[in-house]
Structure formats: C-alpha cells, structure tokens
Amino acid sequence: MNILYDPRLDGVLPDVDRPALIEALRQAAPGLTILHEREQLRPYECDGLSAYRTTPLLAVLPERVEQVAAILRTCRDMGVPVVARGAGTGLSGGALPLAQGVLLVMARFKRILDIHPEGRYARVQPGVRNLAISQAAAPHGLYYAPDPSSQIACSIGGNVAENAGGVHCLKYGLTVHNVLKVEMLTIDAEPVTLGSDALDAAGFDLLALFTGSEGMLGVVTEVTVRLLPRPVVAKVLMASFDDVEKAGRAVGDIIAAGIIPGGLEMMDRLSIHAAEDFIHAGYPLDAEAILLCELDGVESDVDEDCTLVRNVLARAGATEVRQARDEAERARFWAGRKNAFPAVGRISPDYYCMDGTIPRRALPGVLQGIAALSEEYGLRVANVFHAGDGNMHPLILFDANRPGELERAEALGGRILELCVEVGGSITGEHGVGREKINQMCAQFNSDEITFFHAVKAAFDEAGLLNPGKNIPTLHRCAEFGAMHVHHGQLPHPELERF
Amino acid sequence: MNILYDPRLDGVLPDVDRPALIEALRQAAPGLTILHEREQLRPYECDGLSAYRTTPLLAVLPERVEQVAAILRTCRDMGVPVVARGAGTGLSGGALPLAQGVLLVMARFKRILDIHPEGRYARVQPGVRNLAISQAAAPHGLYYAPDPSSQIACSIGGNVAENAGGVHCLKYGLTVHNVLKVEMLTIDAEPVTLGSDALDAAGFDLLALFTGSEGMLGVVTEVTVRLLPRPVVAKVLMASFDDVEKAGRAVGDIIAAGIIPGGLEMMDRLSIHAAEDFIHAGYPLDAEAILLCELDGVESDVDEDCTLVRNVLARAGATEVRQARDEAERARFWAGRKNAFPAVGRISPDYYCMDGTIPRRALPGVLQGIAALSEEYGLRVANVFHAGDGNMHPLILFDANRPGELERAEALGGRILELCVEVGGSITGEHGVGREKINQMCAQFNSDEITFFHAVKAAFDEAGLLNPGKNIPTLHRCAEFGAMHVHHGQLPHPELERF
C-alpha cells in the first residue's frame, strides 16, 4: 500500500475552463440550474463555519437523480472536483467550496418518499430537513432520534455525511445508529445501495463506513432512517453545583448507577449567565455548573429513575436539585441550553466552538485542564455540552478585531483538542473533521492509519475528486503542518486561498 | 477502479514449500508451536460448519503478539495465505483452512487485561471466551450483551470477525454495537488501532468496517468491549398460536406497540416437539408456533410491559399466554430454545442451519414461502429463530446417506436465502458469509457493489493473503457459478478440493 503525494488533496488544484464546464453541464443535464455569477454564489461561500470562506467556481442545483449523475460524470470526465452541500449548517467546514471546484447543492431534494409506521422507517430524499422527518412521523407516534441543534434547518444528507449527533444521542445513538440504508452515486455516477431493510447486511459494513465520510466517498441520493416511538413521558431535573469538577464526576455517577438519561447536559458559570440573561430559563446564577438530566420512558419507570438520579446527585455534592414542575418549565430549562451558543454570542464579539469527545471518566480532569489553558491564553471559555456521552463543546470567546486574538483562540482550540486525544478521546464528536480539524487529524492518527484512510478513499474515488482537502490530511500535510501545528497551535490559514 | 481476476481469491493457490515455510517460521518466531502432522491437524480441519473440511498446510498457535507479527511477515514474504481462527465455533466456514495456507490459531490469547467498572468496558485478548467476559464483569453487576448460542465456547476475536449476534441483540445490538476499540495487525504486521475509548472517532469508521470482515482485513490482537449493567429483573412470556403466520404478525405487533423485548424468539411445531422431547421445557405440544418474549429492566417497568404484551398477544390471536412463574421455569423455557438445534439433531440424521435476516413485517409471508418450498423439495424445515430482529434460522432436515438429499437440502437453502433477498433482507444475520454463502453474495450484490468490496479489501491486503476465498466472491465466480447457483440451487462443492 503506497499512497503517493497528491497535491490535489492538499488544495493545489489545476485551473478549470469555466465556460467549457458550464457548456458541458448544460449539454449533459438539460434544465439544470447553474449559478456562476459572483453575486449568485455569495450565499454559498461558506457553511456553518463562517470563518472559512471560498467562492466556488460554480454551484449547481439539480432536482433529479439523473441530473446529479450527469454532473458527476461531467466533472469526472473533465477532472473537476465536486463538493456536495446539504443545508450548509455544518460546523467543521465540510461543505466549504473549492475555488476550482463545483459545489453540488442537494437542497432541492426535499421529498419524503415513504413513512412506514409498521416497519418503523422513513425513506427520504437527502435535502429533507432533520426535523421534517419527525414532523411527518408524528401522526404515527414516531420520530427520528438524532437531533442536532440545527435540526430545524439541517438536512438528512448532511447528517449522514457528518454522522451528526445531538442531545438525545447518549440514549438513542448517532446518525450511524439510526440509518438503515443509503442510496448513493459514486464519482463515476454508479448508483450503489449501502445497508438493507433488514437489521444486518452481508459483506463489509460499507454503510457505517460511508456514514460520516464527509462527502469523500459518494453523493447521497436517498436515505432510509429508523423511526422510534415517542417516549410516553419525559421529565427533567436541574442540579446545581458549586464546583465544575463535582458536576463532571456526577455525570459518571449517574451512568454508573445504571441509568441512561434521554439527555444529560452540562453548562458552566459563564454559559449559565449568558443563557439566563438571554432566555430567562430560571437557571441559578450562583452555581458554578448545572446539569440538565432528562429521563424518558413510561411514567412509573421515569418516576423511579428520577428518585434514583436525585440520590446520586445529592451524594455527588449537588447544592440544589429542581425538577421541572410542568411542561412549560421543562421547555424553558431546555430553551436555555439550546440557545446557549447564540447567548454566548451576545457576550462576546466572536466565539469559536470546539467539538471534542472524551471518555466520561476523564471529564473532571479535562474541565480542569481547559480552565488552566483558558488562563494561560487569557481567553474566556464557556463550557456547554453533551456531558453524558463525553462530547464537549468548549466555546472560546475572542474579539477578531483585536490583533492576535483569532490566532490565540485557534491555538487554544488546538491545545484543547490535543488534551482530548491525550485522555483517549477524539477530536470530533458530532461536527466532523471537515476543513477545520484537518491538521488535528495528524495528532489523532499515525501515518499508517492515515495511509489506510487514503487507501479506503481511493477504493471509492481513485482520482480524489470528491471533496478533496477535507477530513483526511495528506501525509505531506501532516509532515509539513500537522505535528507542528498541533504543538504550536497555528491553523495554516494562508494556503486556504489555494482552494 | 478495476479489480482484475485473482485466481488466489477463488482458491487456485500456488503450492507452498512446507519445509521451507516451517524453517522460516521457526527462525522468525522462536518457540512458536507449529503443527504440521496430519494427526495433529485433524482437529483444525473445519470450524462449526463441519460439512466443509480441509486439512491446513500447517497450524500455528502463537502466544504473544510479536509471534503473530512474525508469522504474518513470514507469510507475506513467502506469499502464503493466512486464515485466522478463534475457537472454531463459526457456522459459515469463515475459519475453514486452506490446503496451501497457514491456519493462525489465536486460542492461546486468553487473558482478560482490564475490567473497568466505572468506564464500563473490558479490555481482553482475542481468544477470551464470550461468556468469560460476562463472568469476569459479574462482580461489578455488569455483563457483555451479545450472546451467541455458542457463548460458552466462542471467542471474542471470532465474534468481531463475524459480527456475532444472539438472543439479546434485538435490544442490545450486534457485536459492532458493543465494541469500542480493536487492536489489529495488518498482513504487513503493522499494528493499527481502530475506534477509541470515546463514543465517536474521527475519520472513516474503520472499526465498523472491520467488524464482520471475517479475517480479510487484519488479525485481531486485542478488543475493548462495552459492558452493560445487568437488568434488575427479567420475566418471560410464552404465547401459543394455532397458526405460524399469526405468530409472525404478533412479532411486528409487539414492536409496533413500542416495546423492545430483551429477547423475542419463535419456534414452530417441529422445533417445539423436538425441544420438548429433549428438554421437557413445558412447551405446548398442540401449538403450531410459540413465541418466547423476555422483558427486562426495573420491576415496575417490566410488569407494565408484561401486561401490554399480553394484550397485544391476545389481540394477535394467541391461544394461550403463560408467564414463567419463577426463575426455574424461566430457565426451562429458555433451555428448550437454546437446545433446539441439538434437539432437531435428534430427530433427523442431518440438518442444515440457515441464517437469513428479513424486515420484520415480511415474517408471515416468508414463513409461508418456506412452508411451500419445504413441500416442493420434500424436506422438513424446522423454524426456530430470533423473530424480533427478523433473523431466521430455518433448519433443513435431511439424511446425507440418502443419495441426493444433501444436494436437495442445499438447493432448498439457496431458495430460502433468495426469498430473504427478494423481500429486502440479507443472506446473513449473525453467522457471516464465510465459505458457505459465498455464492449467495452474487444474488445479494451487483457487480459494482462487489467491486467496491474488493477495492476495500485491497486497501488493507493488496496481495489477497488474508482468508482468500471467503466472504466476498470474485466477479469471475459470480459470472461462472453465482447467478447460476442461486437460480438452480447447487452449491459448487467440487472445486472445494482446490482449497
């Protein structure tokens, strides 16, 4: 196995003859919407990671699978890279366009093809919004479990590409655990079915491989997701702590007591204050940290679990435990959490959202480490995250207008991710690697492992035309920037221009 | 992507200079146990699929990871294929030796390296028995959920290779859902870590890809599995039906009512009688089918679910529903099910165990289809299986001493698997493809999909030395035998001699 250095994967792309490409696309896919004027392309310059921007060579908005196939064939024949995009809500720059590449916008594939209540699945097009699936399934008492914060806007195709998570993933799993089947097109426009309608499939598990592959292996054209019955009842407890590490330890204690909450979220002092000022959720302003613990299921079971969790929290040193009295209070408790990111946005000109995952038992130590790093770098860090599954979202507060602060924020972010890797964790929990964390991949994996990733990529896309420069770094990059970056903490922005 | 025909993958292997190989292995791995005499090798001729037998060129029994690495390096350098074997309990011939290959027996890697109650995981060597993990975790109130019928003997390394299932997989998932991390060696003896201690990992999901890859991508040297808390209480209901399809429909009804039982098993008349004669479990001899439904969790929850399931069963037309009165009766109910295979072995000289998975809603129709095929082929079929997750195990009864019966049994088996594929199911649920179902893969997948499998295989093992001839058929095989086989129902035994 020997992957040669491919400059295309590192963003050094050949110039494309745009008029010729437009003409070829018009021929191959009559009626296709092609955007190529600068003003038209502006909305497509970035995804949810708006610090990274590139104007694509052109954007195409197909409406039929045959058009997608024609686009892929044309791009393959002309050697033009393709970046697929769903709703553009991703937070790691997975859908960041390439200046010499086509942006394949799948937003018009919005049809829910089939809701099957007995079989408990929904078959949908990739542009369908995450929440729209649950809304369509609601009349049958069913829903789709993974619930990213962006669920009102994000598309299921993008969820598959990034293996999206959410508050309920602790109990109900990530996207990969809730997808039964994916129809996709390869760069050669070959249709391939991954997975099956049954609970297991023969051969290698290409569906799991594909989920989270960030558009590098193929383009999703249809998704079959598992639907779950709505829990009969859900109750939420809010526990206050005078010490953030105590709260971290309480998380492990709850799980160790044999309870898997529907959601188990943590917020520190800075997040609590920001959220309370914004939403008036009723959070305790004197606490150093709070835990929100939602228990769902049948009524008697939930009541029993509430008692059990209250006892665990008391033993763990909670200064106060409150149970939401009614649905309205429960909704307020969650509204504070769900709006914590924009709330933090109100108290700082800019913030940078990290996404590391660590073993639960490492929570207290990593929280301590983040506090020390925050002091070292002179930047505030708000912690608000999915504590139950160890998926942390430290928000680094900075002011991009102050010279050096952006760089310091990025350096601090790199150190935090390094800390996650050191305790046996991962540099991503649910946002993906994308363009953002490509260098940290060099800290997470050794060169043998990265070589494997490239070999797998080549098995699907030998020419490297699908979303080059994302997710998997070249060994060259790791040698040149990677290790150096992670230790010195500089994101190599300059060469972004080459995309 | 262009996979050329590789005769090695189809079993046409070059002759190996055995004395030279033995000498090279002795040099590379001093102290290694090497078996090469015919009598020594006899126990290794087959795995649990004993209808297929081949004497390996030689068998090696390493005790240290460095020895495994030395074996792999030596075999790679000499171009000798390697088949890894755990406890040899697999039912699809995944560990069937090659006459011109080395059998790498991992049985001596029996150490449990770490039980971590707080982190809820166990780190073990690959030769550790499945049940031994639960036994070691029991003092902490924890257990390892996937429970193949062979759990007293089968090894966790083999479980990973075949993505093993079991009675409890409906609720708690297959092996792939319960493994956190795998350490493996490539054919080049490179150590690679797949997965992480955290709940998600960056990059492509190679851990899921590796799980169930049947020894074709690497050799497992260490496994970290998730441990779960033992349910507080478990109760079992036994429902009788006067019609097998009604029982099939009841399975879907239970799940549709929002209940995920710990186990949901079905047995038909033939299995009931065989098991009752053997075990005296207390099964109703006048029923056409029974369902065994185990509900586990906290007491109040289980009681509520029992009531709910009783109502569903009554509506579905159950003629009788009995709840095991005590632990002894519960154990008897399960003993009948768990011994159903040997019980059927008592009423027929031979039987052939199938392993197809279908969407739950297709159960009644497929049961009807199997009955019709059973009549068409003039062979009895006993159905005893994991109904809840649609994983069927039809047992085809035959007498190998009667001319033509084996061939008829195999033909019938092929037709049953075809039926599973037709309704959107899979040719395997938990036993894997191995050598047994290699031709049915041609019915399950088209040539593009099979080409992908080969490309992924080549990414790990370009020379095709790891377990050639298993799991993924060559396109040549599909063209020559595959499609033909599935339609005419003949397993191509003759060329087995070439292995």
Side-chain angles (χ1 to χ4, degrees):
Chain A
M1 203 170 46
N2 207 343
I3 304 296
L4 294 176
Y5 174 65
D6 179 355
R8 183 182 288 141
L9 286 174
D10 226 41
V12 186
L13 300 167
D15 280 355
V16 176
D17 179 345
R18 182 150 72 172
L21 177 61
I22 293 173
E23 187 48 37
L25 286 169
R26 282 196 177 129
Q27 292 279 337
L32 174 68
T33 304
I34 303 175
L35 309 179
H36 54 85
E37 285 169 34
R38 185 140 188 121
E39 275 317 300
Q40 294 176 316
L41 292 172
R42 205 173 290 280
Y44 298 102
E45 277 179 353
C46 65
D47 60 12
L49 183 75
S50 56
Y52 294 64
R53 286 174 186 274
T54 307
T55 307
L57 185 71
L58 49 85
V60 290
L61 285 79
E63 287 168 49
R64 296 187 309 278
V65 174
E66 310 84 74
Q67 288 181 320
V68 180
I71 293 161
L72 290 170
R73 257 192 304 269
T74 305
C75 288
R76 179 205 57 189
D77 291 348
M78 297 181 72
V80 179
V82 178
V83 178
R85 173 188 164 111
T89 55
L91 290 172
S92 62
L96 183 73
L98 299 172
Q100 295 298 322
V102 165
L103 190 70
L104 173 54
V105 182
M106 297 296 286
R108 292 186 177 175
F109 287 85
K110 280 189 197 302
R111 279 197 305 136
I112 293 178
L113 303 169
D114 188 14
I115 299 271
H116 199 298
E118 197 199 331
R120 291 245 186 113
Y121 65 78
R123 204 161 53 81
V124 303
Q125 289 191 319
V128 169
R129 290 175 307 111
N130 173 297
L131 192 60
I133 301 175
S134 290
Q135 285 166 340
H140 308 286
L142 300 172
Y143 77 116
Y144 174 63
D147 55 345
S149 296
S150 57
Q151 70 177 141
I152 195 169
C154 65
S155 69
I156 189 70
N159 288 181
V160 169
E162 299 293 339
N163 190 17
V167 165
H168 288 92
C169 287
L170 168 61
K171 185 163 182 179
Y172 299 106
L174 298 163
T175 303
V176 68
H177 305 112
N178 289 277
V179 167
L180 293 171
K181 195 161 78 170
V182 163
E183 306 280 349
M184 66 100 159
L185 289 175
T186 67
I187 183 66
D188 297 316
E190 284 169 15
V192 177
T193 303
L194 307 172
S196 78
D197 291 335
L199 288 189
D200 193 18
F204 301 139
D205 191 348
L206 299 187
L207 178 58
L209 176 72
F210 187 84
T211 307
S213 64
E214 305 195 356
M216 296 186 76
L217 306 183
V219 175
V220 182
T221 56
E222 194 182 299
V223 185
T224 303
V225 299
R226 191 193 310 277
L227 300 174
L228 297 180
R230 284 218 166 271
V232 180
V233 63
K235 297 191 176 173
V236 65
L237 295 171
M238 178 170 63
S240 309
F241 290 85
D242 58 9
D243 179 287
V244 76
E245 287 157 52
K246 277 187 201 163
R249 262 190 297 275
V251 169
D253 293 348
I254 291 171
I255 307 291
I259 296 158
I260 306 288
L264 181 51
E265 301 282 311
M266 182 165 163
M267 297 171 73
D268 68 3
R269 186 181 190 87
L270 196 50
S271 324
I272 296 168
H273 280 251
E276 188 58 22
D277 281 354
F278 185 31
I279 301 290
H280 312 295
Y283 292 165
L285 293 176
D286 55 344
E288 286 301 317
I290 57 169
L291 289 182
L292 289 172
C293 180
E294 180 157 295
L295 299 158
D296 61 7
V298 294
E299 181 115 30
S300 61
D301 195 13
V302 169
D303 287 342
E304 215 165 297
D305 282 355
C306 278
T307 309
L308 206 50
V309 170
R310 274 174 176 282
N311 292 341
V312 171
L313 289 167
R315 273 199 305 274
T319 53
E320 190 194 3
V321 180
R322 276 165 57 196
Q323 181 168 336
R325 279 157 303 188
D326 49 28
E327 268 303 297
E329 189 169 45
R330 176 173 161 260
R332 266 202 309 283
F333 281 1
W334 279 118
R337 162 63 186 93
K338 288 195 175 164
N339 289 288
F341 287 17
V344 167
R346 293 170 75 237
I347 62 165
S348 172
D350 298 283
Y351 69 87
Y352 184 33
C353 171
M354 312 303 297
D355 169 47
T357 301
I358 57 171
R360 224 160 17 226
R361 66 185 183 283
L363 266 178
V366 170
L367 286 167
Q368 204 172 18
I370 291 175
L373 285 169
S374 164
E375 203 150 309
E376 182 183 335
Y377 282 79
L379 293 172
R380 293 182 298 169
V381 178
N383 284 295
V384 44
F385 61 97
H386 312 313
D389 50 9
N391 184 193
M392 309 190 73
H393 293 312
L395 301 178
I396 301 169
L397 279 55
F398 68 99
D399 181 349
N401 287 328
R402 286 202 203 152
E405 279 218 352
L406 169 63
E407 292 70 21
R408 227 158 66 235
E410 288 174 334
L412 172 52
R415 290 286 295 278
I416 291 174
L417 291 183
E418 241 186 320
L419 189 57
C420 293
V421 173
E422 269 166 33
V423 300
S426 157
I427 59 170
T428 175
E430 54 185 16
H431 298 172
V433 172
R435 184 63 192 70
E436 181 199 23
K437 280 172 282 196
I438 189 104
N439 289 340
Q440 277 85 4
M441 286 290 282
C442 308
Q444 178 96 65
F445 296 101
N446 65 34
S447 61
D448 283 345
E449 290 161 339
I450 286 173
T451 304
F452 267 110
F453 287 136
H454 282 296
V456 169
K457 159 76 170 169
F460 284 77
D461 174 24
E462 206 167 357
L465 290 174
L466 287 171
N467 214 9
K470 312 286 174 62
N471 199 0
I472 312 294
T474 57
L475 292 178
H476 177 83
R477 168 176 289 273
C478 283
E480 292 268 313
F481 307 104
M484 193 172 74
H485 162 74
V486 170
H487 292 297
H488 298 152
Q490 289 163 345
L491 273 178
H493 268 173
E495 91 283 6
L496 254 186
E497 297 309 308
R498 286 190 285 165
F499 281 86
Chain B
M1 203 170 46
N2 206 343
I3 303 295
L4 293 176
Y5 174 63
D6 178 354
R8 181 181 291 141
L9 286 174
D10 227 38
V12 186
L13 301 167
D15 280 354
V16 177
D17 179 344
R18 182 150 72 171
L21 176 61
I22 293 173
E23 187 48 35
L25 286 169
R26 283 198 176 128
Q27 292 278 338
L32 174 68
T33 303
I34 304 176
L35 308 179
H36 54 85
E37 286 170 30
R38 185 141 189 122
E39 275 317 299
Q40 294 177 317
L41 292 172
R42 204 173 293 278
Y44 298 103
E45 277 179 352
C46 66
D47 59 11
L49 184 74
S50 57
Y52 295 62
R53 287 175 186 274
T54 308
T55 308
L57 185 70
L58 49 86
V60 290
L61 285 79
E63 287 168 48
R64 296 188 308 280
V65 174
E66 309 85 73
Q67 289 181 320
V68 180
I71 293 160
L72 291 170
R73 258 191 305 268
T74 305
C75 288
R76 179 204 56 190
D77 291 348
M78 297 181 69
V80 179
V82 179
V83 177
R85 173 188 163 110
T89 56
L91 289 171
S92 63
L96 182 73
L98 299 173
Q100 296 298 322
V102 166
L103 190 70
L104 173 53
V105 182
M106 297 296 285
R108 292 186 177 174
F109 287 85
K110 279 188 197 305
R111 280 198 304 138
I112 293 179
L113 303 168
D114 188 15
I115 299 271
H116 199 300
E118 199 198 332
R120 289 244 186 113
Y121 65 78
R123 205 161 54 81
V124 302
Q125 290 191 318
V128 169
R129 290 176 306 113
N130 173 297
L131 192 60
I133 301 175
S134 291
Q135 286 166 340
H140 308 287
L142 300 172
Y143 77 116
Y144 174 64
D147 55 346
S149 295
S150 56
Q151 69 176 141
I152 196 168
C154 65
S155 70
I156 188 70
N159 288 181
V160 169
E162 298 292 340
N163 190 17
V167 165
H168 288 92
C169 287
L170 168 61
K171 185 163 181 179
Y172 300 106
L174 297 164
T175 302
V176 68
H177 304 111
N178 289 278
V179 167
L180 292 170
K181 195 161 79 170
V182 164
E183 306 280 350
M184 66 99 160
L185 289 175
T186 67
I187 184 66
D188 297 316
E190 285 170 14
V192 176
T193 303
L194 308 172
S196 78
D197 290 335
L199 287 189
D200 193 19
F204 300 139
D205 192 348
L206 299 188
L207 177 58
L209 175 71
F210 187 84
T211 307
S213 63
E214 306 195 355
M216 296 186 77
L217 306 184
V219 175
V220 181
T221 57
E222 194 181 299
V223 185
T224 302
V225 299
R226 192 193 309 276
L227 299 175
L228 297 180
R230 283 217 166 273
V232 181
V233 64
K235 297 191 177 174
V236 64
L237 295 172
M238 179 171 64
S240 310
F241 290 86
D242 59 8
D243 179 288
V244 75
E245 287 157 53
K246 276 189 202 162
R249 261 190 298 276
V251 169
D253 293 347
I254 291 171
I255 307 291
I259 296 158
I260 306 287
L264 181 50
E265 301 283 310
M266 182 164 164
M267 296 171 72
D268 69 3
R269 186 180 191 86
L270 195 50
S271 323
I272 296 167
H273 280 251
E276 189 58 21
D277 282 353
F278 185 31
I279 301 290
H280 313 296
Y283 292 165
L285 292 175
D286 56 343
E288 286 300 318
I290 58 169
L291 290 180
L292 289 172
C293 179
E294 180 158 296
L295 299 158
D296 60 6
V298 294
E299 181 115 30
S300 60
D301 195 13
V302 169
D303 287 342
E304 215 164 297
D305 282 354
C306 277
T307 309
L308 206 50
V309 170
R310 274 175 176 282
N311 292 341
V312 171
L313 289 167
R315 272 199 305 274
T319 53
E320 190 196 2
V321 180
R322 275 165 57 195
Q323 182 168 335
R325 279 157 304 186
D326 49 29
E327 268 303 296
E329 189 170 47
R330 175 173 162 259
R332 265 202 310 282
F333 281 1
W334 279 119
R337 162 63 186 93
K338 288 195 176 165
N339 289 287
F341 287 18
V344 166
R346 293 170 77 237
I347 61 165
S348 172
D350 299 282
Y351 69 86
Y352 184 33
C353 172
M354 311 304 296
D355 169 47
T357 302
I358 57 171
R360 224 161 15 229
R361 66 185 183 284
L363 266 178
V366 169
L367 286 168
Q368 204 171 20
I370 291 175
L373 285 169
S374 163
E375 203 150 310
E376 181 182 335
Y377 282 79
L379 292 172
R380 292 182 297 168
V381 178
N383 284 295
V384 45
F385 60 96
H386 311 312
D389 49 10
N391 184 193
M392 310 190 74
H393 294 311
L395 302 177
I396 301 170
L397 279 54
F398 69 99
D399 181 350
N401 287 328
R402 286 203 204 151
E405 279 218 352
L406 169 63
E407 293 69 23
R408 226 156 69 233
E410 289 174 334
L412 172 52
R415 289 286 295 278
I416 291 175
L417 291 183
E418 242 187 321
L419 190 58
C420 293
V421 173
E422 268 165 33
V423 300
S426 157
I427 59 170
T428 175
E430 54 185 16
H431 298 173
V433 172
R435 183 64 192 72
E436 180 198 24
K437 281 172 280 198
I438 189 100
N439 289 340
Q440 276 85 5
M441 285 291 282
C442 308
Q444 179 97 66
F445 296 102
N446 67 33
S447 60
D448 284 345
E449 289 160 338
I450 287 173
T451 303
F452 268 110
F453 287 137
H454 283 294
V456 169
K457 160 76 171 168
F460 285 77
D461 174 24
E462 207 167 357
L465 290 174
L466 287 171
N467 214 9
K470 313 286 173 62
N471 198 0
I472 312 295
T474 57
L475 292 178
H476 177 84
R477 168 176 288 275
C478 283
E480 292 270 311
F481 308 104
M484 194 172 74
H485 162 73
V486 169
H487 293 297
H488 298 153
Q490 288 162 345
L491 273 178
H493 268 175
E495 91 283 6
L496 255 186
E497 297 308 310
R498 288 189 287 165
F499 280 86

